[in-house]
Amino acid sequence: MAIQSSNKSKIIYTLMAWSISAAIFFPIFWTLLTSFKTEAEAISASPSLFMFDWTLENYQDVLARSPYFEHFWNSVVISLGSSLIGLLIAIPAAWSMAFVQTKRTKNLLMWMLSTKMLPPVGVLIPIYLLFRDFDLLDTKLGLVIVMTLINLPIMVWMLYTYFREIPNEILEASRMDGASIKAEIFHVLLPIALPGIASTLLLNVILAWNEAFWTLILTAANAAPLTAFIASYSSPEGLFYAKLSAASAMAIAPILILGWFSQKQLVRGLTFGAVK
């Protein structure tokens, strides 16, 4: 009886997991379908799931109208650049908070986390004015700086959590062998925490890739990433749903492929230290 009950529970949980996954994936699936429809079929009151005239015209129009690969390169530079710079700052910060704690460490961590609760529009004007005065508007460097700053609290928190799971005795043994702080971090700590570091990097690449608010405010043409590329298909003349879906599919495809191939590493890193 216990085995039958366990099997039933597994089946129920599996069905629930598949149902939730299908519900999450459906908007992406519908976007992909709409990208192959004509504009008339895309706005039809009774849309068809598969029985429609499939066309590549929307992708051809998008590629002809917009420099897709320029936007793609901007997204790569901004997301990867901000994540790498963030790691360079977050790793020593998380190391100090995890292994050289003071009575203010927890307060500092909570303050860093509280900055993520601030609505971006609350600091829009000062950041915009600073960017204007330092000639950072519509530059990749400016967006790299912004993305680094807004995602840095998450990176520090994630790395701090991973580092706390590493036994302090390992680091103490390296110090007794004469390792410097630099050697301790690079030759002892980083190899052990590599799964957590990799998942932190991947997660922040995804967050920076999907960031729309700052990219639309601080860019115009030269440094516009794929989020601005998508927004360009919303115009005063109306929404071109089929072309907008094609642009969205082209923008999310690279990050979906990255997530698919790195899912094992991402899951391993996110569960790092969860099981003793």
Side-chain angles (χ1 to χ4, degrees):
M1 292 295 293
I3 296 176
Q4 291 180 353
S5 177
S6 176
N7 290 336
K8 288 181 180 179
S9 298
K10 288 181 179 179
I11 293 173
I12 292 173
Y13 289 139
T14 300
L15 291 175
M16 290 176 60
W18 276 103
S19 300
I20 294 172
S21 300
I24 294 173
F25 182 74
F26 183 77
I28 300 175
F29 172 71
W30 190 256
T31 298
L32 291 174
L33 281 182
T34 306
S35 68
F36 293 103
K37 297 180 179 181
T38 63
E39 289 294 345
E41 290 170 330
I43 63 174
S44 174
S46 55
S48 174
L49 190 59
F50 294 109
M51 303 303 293
F52 58 87
D53 295 329
W54 293 68
T55 178
L56 294 175
E57 181 181 355
N58 299 312
Y59 290 94
Q60 294 171 352
D61 291 344
V62 168
L63 290 173
R65 170 183 166 181
S66 305
Y68 168 78
F69 292 101
E70 291 183 13
H71 295 294
F72 170 78
W73 177 246
N74 290 339
S75 289
V76 170
V77 172
I78 293 166
S79 58
L80 190 58
S82 62
S83 298
L84 291 175
I85 293 174
L87 276 183
L88 293 177
I89 301 172
I91 288 175
W95 172 85
S96 64
M97 293 179 183
F99 301 110
V100 193
Q101 291 190 354
T102 67
K103 61 181 180 180
R104 296 183 178 86
T105 298
K106 291 185 178 179
N107 292 334
L108 180 59
L109 284 167
M110 290 304 300
W111 173 79
M112 293 182 66
L113 187 62
S114 68
T115 61
K116 295 298 296 180
M117 305 175 189
L118 176 69
V121 70
V123 293
L124 171 60
I125 293 178
I127 288 182
Y128 186 88
L129 294 177
L130 285 172
F131 271 53
R132 182 199 63 184
D133 294 341
F134 286 96
D135 294 326
L136 291 174
L137 289 175
D138 200 20
T139 63
K140 289 189 281 290
L141 175 61
L143 285 179
V144 166
I145 294 172
V146 167
M147 297 301 170
T148 300
L149 294 177
I150 64 176
N151 291 328
L152 189 59
I154 295 177
M155 301 184 79
V156 172
W157 260 95
M158 290 183 66
L159 292 174
Y160 169 78
T161 303
Y162 301 138
F163 291 171
R164 289 289 295 168
E165 297 296 331
I166 298 174
N168 195 30
E169 290 77 9
I170 297 177
L171 301 182
E172 290 179 353
S174 67
R175 294 175 199 141
M176 292 178 65
D177 290 337
S180 62
I181 293 178
K182 180 180 178 181
E184 177 184 323
I185 293 176
F186 283 95
H187 299 294
V188 180
L189 181 66
L190 295 188
I192 298 175
L194 189 60
I197 294 172
S199 65
T200 301
L201 177 66
L202 290 170
L203 180 61
N204 281 271
V205 166
I206 293 171
L207 291 174
W209 189 281
N210 294 331
E211 176 61 38
F213 180 82
W214 291 111
T215 56
L216 295 177
I217 296 295
L218 300 177
T219 63
N222 296 329
L226 287 172
T227 47
F229 164 73
I230 297 173
S232 66
Y233 287 88
S234 175
S235 64
E237 290 80 12
L239 287 174
F240 299 95
Y241 288 104
K243 293 180 178 59
L244 182 61
S245 297
S248 299
M250 295 172 66
I252 65 176
I255 206 69
L256 283 179
I257 295 171
L258 174 64
W260 177 265
F261 284 104
S262 61
Q263 59 180 322
K264 290 184 179 180
Q265 182 66 41
L266 186 60
V267 171
R268 182 186 175 194
L270 292 175
T271 57
F272 181 76
V275 179
K276 295 291 185 183

